[in-house]
Amino acid sequence: MRKLMIRQLEQQLRWLQSTTKVSRPALGWVKTMREAFGMTAGQLGKRLNVSQQRVSELEKNEIEGTAALKSIQAAADALNCDFVYFLIPREPIEEIIEKQAKKVASGRLAILSHSMELEDQLVSKKEQHQQISELAKELIDTKPRELWND
Protein backbone atom coordinates (compact mmCIF):
# COMPACT_ATOMS: atom_id res chain seq x y z
CA MET A 1 0.00 0.00 0.00
CA ARG A 2 2.87 2.37 0.90
CA LYS A 3 4.61 1.70 -2.42
CA LEU A 4 1.42 2.52 -4.31
CA MET A 5 1.11 5.77 -2.38
CA ILE A 6 4.74 6.64 -3.21
CA ARG A 7 4.21 5.90 -6.92
CA GLN A 8 1.09 8.07 -7.01
CA LEU A 9 2.87 10.90 -5.22
CA GLU A 10 5.81 10.63 -7.64
CA GLN A 11 3.37 10.92 -10.56
CA GLN A 12 1.77 14.02 -9.07
CA LEU A 13 5.15 15.63 -8.45
CA ARG A 14 6.64 14.73 -11.82
CA TRP A 15 5.15 17.72 -13.60
CA LEU A 16 6.44 20.01 -10.84
CA GLN A 17 10.07 19.09 -11.49
CA SER A 18 10.23 21.71 -14.25
CA THR A 19 8.88 24.39 -11.91
CA THR A 20 11.92 24.09 -9.66
CA LYS A 21 13.73 26.11 -12.32
CA VAL A 22 11.46 29.08 -11.46
CA SER A 23 13.07 31.14 -8.75
CA ARG A 24 11.57 33.79 -6.52
CA PRO A 25 11.95 37.26 -8.00
CA ALA A 26 14.65 39.42 -6.39
CA LEU A 27 11.97 41.66 -4.86
CA GLY A 28 9.88 38.66 -3.70
CA TRP A 29 6.56 37.52 -5.09
CA VAL A 30 4.35 39.82 -3.02
CA LYS A 31 6.15 43.03 -3.99
CA THR A 32 6.65 41.91 -7.60
CA MET A 33 2.95 41.15 -8.05
CA ARG A 34 1.88 44.28 -6.17
CA GLU A 35 4.07 46.44 -8.42
CA ALA A 36 2.93 44.59 -11.56
CA PHE A 37 -0.63 45.60 -10.68
CA GLY A 38 0.51 49.19 -10.05
CA MET A 39 -0.57 48.95 -6.42
CA THR A 40 1.15 50.78 -3.57
CA ALA A 41 2.08 49.14 -0.29
CA GLY A 42 -0.52 51.34 1.38
CA GLN A 43 -3.23 50.13 -1.00
CA LEU A 44 -2.30 46.49 -0.37
CA GLY A 45 -2.25 47.24 3.36
CA LYS A 46 -5.79 48.60 3.12
CA ARG A 47 -6.92 45.39 1.39
CA LEU A 48 -5.23 43.36 4.17
CA ASN A 49 -6.44 45.64 6.98
CA VAL A 50 -2.85 46.32 8.00
CA SER A 51 -0.55 49.33 7.79
CA GLN A 52 1.72 50.17 4.85
CA GLN A 53 4.61 49.52 7.23
CA ARG A 54 3.35 45.98 7.88
CA VAL A 55 3.19 45.31 4.12
CA SER A 56 6.78 46.53 3.73
CA GLU A 57 7.77 44.26 6.62
CA LEU A 58 6.02 41.29 5.00
CA GLU A 59 7.82 41.95 1.71
CA LYS A 60 11.17 42.18 3.50
CA ASN A 61 10.44 39.00 5.48
CA GLU A 62 9.53 37.12 2.30
CA ILE A 63 12.92 37.94 0.78
CA GLU A 64 14.68 36.89 4.01
CA GLY A 65 12.67 33.67 4.19
CA THR A 66 11.07 34.52 7.53
CA ALA A 67 7.53 35.43 6.38
CA ALA A 68 4.74 33.31 7.81
CA LEU A 69 2.92 31.21 5.24
CA LYS A 70 -0.34 32.59 6.60
CA SER A 71 0.80 36.15 5.82
CA ILE A 72 1.86 35.28 2.29
CA GLN A 73 -1.48 33.50 1.76
CA ALA A 74 -3.37 36.59 2.92
CA ALA A 75 -1.32 38.85 0.62
CA ALA A 76 -1.91 36.47 -2.30
CA ASP A 77 -5.66 36.57 -1.65
CA ALA A 78 -5.59 40.37 -1.47
CA LEU A 79 -3.72 40.41 -4.79
CA ASN A 80 -6.22 37.98 -6.36
CA CYS A 81 -3.46 35.36 -6.69
CA ASP A 82 -3.20 31.74 -5.67
CA PHE A 83 -0.50 30.88 -3.17
CA VAL A 84 0.99 27.47 -3.95
CA TYR A 85 3.34 25.60 -1.62
CA PHE A 86 5.19 22.38 -2.49
CA LEU A 87 7.95 20.17 -1.20
CA ILE A 88 9.64 18.62 -4.21
CA PRO A 89 12.07 15.78 -3.52
CA ARG A 90 15.49 16.27 -5.09
CA GLU A 91 15.60 12.58 -6.00
CA PRO A 92 12.89 9.95 -6.49
CA ILE A 93 11.30 9.10 -3.14
CA GLU A 94 12.14 5.40 -3.38
CA GLU A 95 15.82 6.25 -3.99
CA ILE A 96 15.89 8.47 -0.89
CA ILE A 97 14.34 5.67 1.18
CA GLU A 98 16.73 3.06 -0.24
CA LYS A 99 19.82 5.21 0.44
CA GLN A 100 18.70 5.75 4.02
CA ALA A 101 17.95 2.05 4.47
CA LYS A 102 21.41 1.12 3.20
CA LYS A 103 22.98 3.68 5.53
CA VAL A 104 21.15 2.20 8.52
CA ALA A 105 21.90 -1.36 7.40
CA SER A 106 25.60 -0.52 6.95
CA GLY A 107 25.74 0.89 10.46
CA ARG A 108 24.11 -2.16 11.96
CA LEU A 109 26.28 -4.57 10.01
CA ALA A 110 29.45 -2.63 10.87
CA ILE A 111 28.91 -3.54 14.51
CA LEU A 112 28.50 -7.20 13.59
CA SER A 113 31.50 -7.10 11.23
CA HIS A 114 33.68 -5.78 14.02
CA SER A 115 32.66 -8.68 16.26
CA MET A 116 33.20 -11.18 13.46
CA GLU A 117 36.61 -9.69 12.70
CA LEU A 118 37.61 -10.18 16.32
CA GLU A 119 36.53 -13.81 15.99
CA ASP A 120 38.42 -14.12 12.67
CA GLN A 121 35.16 -14.70 10.76
CA LEU A 122 35.30 -11.73 8.40
CA VAL A 123 33.13 -11.96 5.25
CA SER A 124 34.10 -10.72 1.77
CA LYS A 125 33.17 -7.25 0.48
CA LYS A 126 30.76 -8.86 -1.97
CA GLU A 127 29.00 -10.71 0.87
CA GLN A 128 28.92 -7.51 2.94
CA HIS A 129 27.22 -5.62 0.09
CA GLN A 130 24.73 -8.46 -0.29
CA GLN A 131 23.97 -8.42 3.45
CA ILE A 132 23.52 -4.64 3.39
CA SER A 133 21.10 -4.89 0.45
CA GLU A 134 19.10 -7.67 2.11
CA LEU A 135 18.89 -5.89 5.46
CA ALA A 136 17.98 -2.61 3.75
CA LYS A 137 15.13 -4.31 1.88
CA GLU A 138 13.92 -5.93 5.09
CA LEU A 139 13.98 -2.57 6.91
CA ILE A 140 12.05 -0.89 4.11
CA ASP A 141 9.44 -3.67 4.02
CA THR A 142 8.98 -4.24 7.75
CA LYS A 143 10.27 -1.27 9.76
CA PRO A 144 10.27 1.84 7.56
CA ARG A 145 9.98 4.22 10.52
CA GLU A 146 13.23 2.94 12.01
CA LEU A 147 15.11 4.32 9.02
CA TRP A 148 14.84 7.86 10.31
CA ASN A 149 15.95 7.46 13.93
CA ASP A 150 19.46 8.86 13.37
Side-chain angles (χ1 to χ4, degrees):
M1 188 64 142
R2 212 170 114 263
K3 286 186 180 200
L4 175 62
M5 182 194 76
I6 290 170
R7 277 195 297 276
Q8 289 173 338
L9 180 58
E10 291 274 7
Q11 266 185 326
Q12 289 176 325
L13 294 174
R14 194 166 293 128
W15 70 272
L16 290 172
Q17 296 297 334
S18 63
T19 64
T20 60
K21 309 290 187 270
V22 177
S23 59
R24 180 179 59 214
L27 298 175
W29 286 107
V30 174
K31 187 171 185 174
T32 298
M33 294 307 295
R34 176 179 63 74
E35 288 184 349
F37 292 133
M39 187 184 297
T40 67
Q43 290 168 327
L44 179 56
K46 190 171 185 175
R47 288 170 159 246
L48 289 167
N49 294 318
V50 300
S51 68
Q52 177 270 327
Q53 181 182 353
R54 178 66 191 111
V55 170
S56 296
E57 189 178 305
L58 168 62
E59 292 172 347
K60 177 180 163 267
N61 289 345
E62 180 192 359
I63 292 168
E64 293 173 353
T66 59
L69 296 178
K70 186 166 100 174
S71 298
I72 296 174
Q73 176 67 59
D77 287 341
L79 290 165
N80 195 29
C81 294
D82 289 324
F83 175 62
V84 183
Y85 178 85
F86 296 106
L87 294 178
I88 302 173
R90 294 181 187 121
E91 302 171 63
I93 294 170
E94 288 183 342
E95 282 183 29
I96 294 170
I97 293 168
E98 187 176 329
K99 282 181 183 178
Q100 184 65 19
K102 285 184 176 181
K103 179 180 169 188
V104 171
S106 293
R108 290 184 181 180
L109 290 175
I111 295 167
L112 289 173
S113 293
H114 179 68
S115 297
M116 292 176 76
E117 184 178 355
L118 292 174
E119 297 172 10
D120 210 20
Q121 297 176 354
L122 197 57
V123 295
S124 71
K125 290 285 185 196
K126 185 178 178 183
E127 289 172 321
Q128 287 177 1
H129 287 297
Q130 182 66 31
Q131 288 175 343
I132 288 169
S133 293
E134 288 173 8
L135 180 54
K137 183 178 177 352
E138 182 182 326
L139 288 168
I140 291 168
D141 292 343
T142 62
K143 301 174 183 175
R145 295 186 190 277
E146 286 186 21
L147 299 178
W148 311 102
N149 286 337
D150 64 335

Short mmCIF file of all heavy atoms in Angstrom, two decimals, residues 30 54 57-76 83 85:
data_model
loop_
_atom_site.label_atom_id
_atom_site.label_comp_id
_atom_site.label_asym_id
_atom_site.label_seq_id
_atom_site.Cartn_x
_atom_site.Cartn_y
_atom_site.Cartn_z
N VAL A 30 5.38 38.87 -3.44
CA VAL A 30 4.35 39.82 -3.02
C VAL A 30 4.62 41.19 -3.64
O VAL A 30 3.74 41.78 -4.28
CB VAL A 30 4.25 39.90 -1.48
CG1 VAL A 30 3.27 40.99 -1.05
CG2 VAL A 30 3.84 38.55 -0.89
N ARG A 54 3.47 47.43 7.73
CA ARG A 54 3.35 45.98 7.88
C ARG A 54 3.52 45.28 6.52
O ARG A 54 4.12 44.21 6.44
CB ARG A 54 2.00 45.62 8.51
CG ARG A 54 1.75 44.15 8.66
CD ARG A 54 2.69 43.47 9.64
NE ARG A 54 2.56 42.05 9.53
CZ ARG A 54 3.48 41.21 9.05
NH1 ARG A 54 4.65 41.66 8.65
NH2 ARG A 54 3.24 39.91 8.96
N GLU A 57 7.14 45.27 5.76
CA GLU A 57 7.77 44.26 6.62
C GLU A 57 7.55 42.86 6.06
O GLU A 57 8.48 42.04 6.01
CB GLU A 57 7.19 44.37 8.03
CG GLU A 57 7.88 43.54 9.08
CD GLU A 57 7.25 43.77 10.45
OE1 GLU A 57 7.17 44.93 10.90
OE2 GLU A 57 6.83 42.76 11.06
N LEU A 58 6.33 42.58 5.60
CA LEU A 58 6.02 41.29 5.00
C LEU A 58 6.90 41.07 3.76
O LEU A 58 7.47 40.00 3.58
CB LEU A 58 4.55 41.20 4.61
CG LEU A 58 4.15 40.02 3.71
CD1 LEU A 58 4.42 38.69 4.39
CD2 LEU A 58 2.70 40.14 3.29
N GLU A 59 7.02 42.08 2.92
CA GLU A 59 7.82 41.95 1.71
C GLU A 59 9.30 41.71 2.05
O GLU A 59 9.95 40.87 1.41
CB GLU A 59 7.66 43.21 0.83
CG GLU A 59 6.26 43.32 0.27
CD GLU A 59 5.96 44.63 -0.45
OE1 GLU A 59 6.75 45.59 -0.32
OE2 GLU A 59 4.94 44.69 -1.16
N LYS A 60 9.79 42.38 3.06
CA LYS A 60 11.17 42.18 3.50
C LYS A 60 11.34 40.76 4.07
O LYS A 60 12.29 40.05 3.75
CB LYS A 60 11.52 43.22 4.57
CG LYS A 60 12.89 43.08 5.17
CD LYS A 60 13.11 44.18 6.23
CE LYS A 60 14.25 43.87 7.13
NZ LYS A 60 13.89 43.19 8.35
N ASN A 61 10.38 40.33 4.88
CA ASN A 61 10.44 39.00 5.48
C ASN A 61 10.36 37.90 4.43
O ASN A 61 11.01 36.86 4.57
CB ASN A 61 9.32 38.81 6.51
CG ASN A 61 9.54 39.63 7.76
OD1 ASN A 61 10.63 40.13 8.02
ND2 ASN A 61 8.49 39.80 8.54
N GLU A 62 9.61 38.13 3.37
CA GLU A 62 9.53 37.12 2.30
C GLU A 62 10.91 36.93 1.67
O GLU A 62 11.35 35.80 1.47
CB GLU A 62 8.52 37.53 1.23
CG GLU A 62 8.43 36.49 0.12
CD GLU A 62 7.68 36.93 -1.11
OE1 GLU A 62 7.17 38.05 -1.16
OE2 GLU A 62 7.63 36.11 -2.05
N ILE A 63 11.59 38.02 1.39
CA ILE A 63 12.92 37.94 0.78
C ILE A 63 13.90 37.23 1.72
O ILE A 63 14.72 36.42 1.29
CB ILE A 63 13.44 39.35 0.41
CG1 ILE A 63 12.60 39.91 -0.74
CG2 ILE A 63 14.91 39.30 0.02
CD1 ILE A 63 12.83 41.39 -0.99
N GLU A 64 13.78 37.50 3.02
CA GLU A 64 14.68 36.89 4.01
C GLU A 64 14.29 35.45 4.35
O GLU A 64 15.04 34.74 5.02
CB GLU A 64 14.70 37.73 5.29
CG GLU A 64 15.33 39.09 5.10
CD GLU A 64 15.20 39.99 6.32
OE1 GLU A 64 14.48 39.62 7.30
OE2 GLU A 64 15.80 41.08 6.30
N GLY A 65 13.12 35.02 3.91
CA GLY A 65 12.67 33.67 4.19
C GLY A 65 12.06 33.51 5.57
O GLY A 65 11.96 32.40 6.08
N THR A 66 11.63 34.60 6.19
CA THR A 66 11.07 34.52 7.53
C THR A 66 9.58 34.86 7.58
O THR A 66 8.99 34.91 8.66
CB THR A 66 11.83 35.47 8.49
OG1 THR A 66 11.75 36.81 8.01
CG2 THR A 66 13.29 35.05 8.63
N ALA A 67 8.96 35.11 6.42
CA ALA A 67 7.53 35.43 6.38
C ALA A 67 6.71 34.20 6.73
O ALA A 67 7.03 33.09 6.31
CB ALA A 67 7.14 35.95 5.01
N ALA A 68 5.66 34.41 7.48
CA ALA A 68 4.74 33.31 7.81
C ALA A 68 3.93 32.95 6.57
O ALA A 68 3.52 33.83 5.80
CB ALA A 68 3.81 33.73 8.95
N LEU A 69 3.72 31.66 6.37
CA LEU A 69 2.92 31.21 5.24
C LEU A 69 1.54 31.85 5.25
O LEU A 69 1.00 32.22 4.21
CB LEU A 69 2.81 29.68 5.24
CG LEU A 69 4.11 28.91 5.05
CD1 LEU A 69 3.85 27.42 5.13
CD2 LEU A 69 4.79 29.27 3.76
N LYS A 70 0.98 31.99 6.44
CA LYS A 70 -0.34 32.59 6.60
C LYS A 70 -0.36 34.02 6.06
O LYS A 70 -1.31 34.44 5.41
CB LYS A 70 -0.71 32.55 8.08
CG LYS A 70 -2.10 33.01 8.42
CD LYS A 70 -2.46 32.61 9.84
CE LYS A 70 -2.30 33.79 10.76
NZ LYS A 70 -2.75 33.52 12.13
N SER A 71 0.72 34.76 6.30
CA SER A 71 0.80 36.15 5.82
C SER A 71 0.92 36.20 4.31
O SER A 71 0.31 37.06 3.66
CB SER A 71 2.01 36.85 6.46
OG SER A 71 1.87 36.91 7.86
N ILE A 72 1.72 35.31 3.75
CA ILE A 72 1.86 35.28 2.29
C ILE A 72 0.52 34.88 1.65
O ILE A 72 0.13 35.44 0.63
CB ILE A 72 3.00 34.35 1.85
CG1 ILE A 72 4.34 34.89 2.37
CG2 ILE A 72 3.03 34.20 0.33
CD1 ILE A 72 5.52 33.97 2.13
N GLN A 73 -0.17 33.92 2.26
CA GLN A 73 -1.48 33.50 1.76
C GLN A 73 -2.45 34.68 1.75
O GLN A 73 -3.17 34.90 0.77
CB GLN A 73 -2.05 32.36 2.61
CG GLN A 73 -3.46 31.92 2.23
CD GLN A 73 -3.53 31.28 0.87
OE1 GLN A 73 -2.87 30.28 0.63
NE2 GLN A 73 -4.30 31.84 -0.03
N ALA A 74 -2.46 35.44 2.84
CA ALA A 74 -3.37 36.59 2.92
C ALA A 74 -3.02 37.63 1.86
O ALA A 74 -3.92 38.19 1.21
CB ALA A 74 -3.28 37.21 4.32
N ALA A 75 -1.74 37.89 1.66
CA ALA A 75 -1.32 38.85 0.62
C ALA A 75 -1.72 38.34 -0.76
O ALA A 75 -2.20 39.11 -1.60
CB ALA A 75 0.19 39.08 0.70
N ALA A 76 -1.52 37.05 -1.01
CA ALA A 76 -1.91 36.47 -2.30
C ALA A 76 -3.40 36.66 -2.53
O ALA A 76 -3.83 37.07 -3.62
CB ALA A 76 -1.53 34.99 -2.35
N PHE A 83 -1.77 31.17 -3.83
CA PHE A 83 -0.50 30.88 -3.17
C PHE A 83 -0.33 29.37 -3.19
O PHE A 83 -1.19 28.64 -2.72
CB PHE A 83 -0.52 31.40 -1.73
CG PHE A 83 0.70 31.05 -0.94
CD1 PHE A 83 1.95 31.51 -1.32
CD2 PHE A 83 0.61 30.24 0.19
CE1 PHE A 83 3.09 31.19 -0.59
CE2 PHE A 83 1.74 29.92 0.92
CZ PHE A 83 2.98 30.39 0.53
N TYR A 85 2.22 26.00 -2.46
CA TYR A 85 3.34 25.60 -1.62
C TYR A 85 3.60 24.12 -1.86
O TYR A 85 2.69 23.31 -1.78
CB TYR A 85 2.93 25.84 -0.16
CG TYR A 85 3.91 25.45 0.89
CD1 TYR A 85 4.92 26.31 1.27
CD2 TYR A 85 3.82 24.21 1.53
CE1 TYR A 85 5.82 25.97 2.26
CE2 TYR A 85 4.71 23.86 2.52
CZ TYR A 85 5.71 24.75 2.88
OH TYR A 85 6.60 24.41 3.86
#
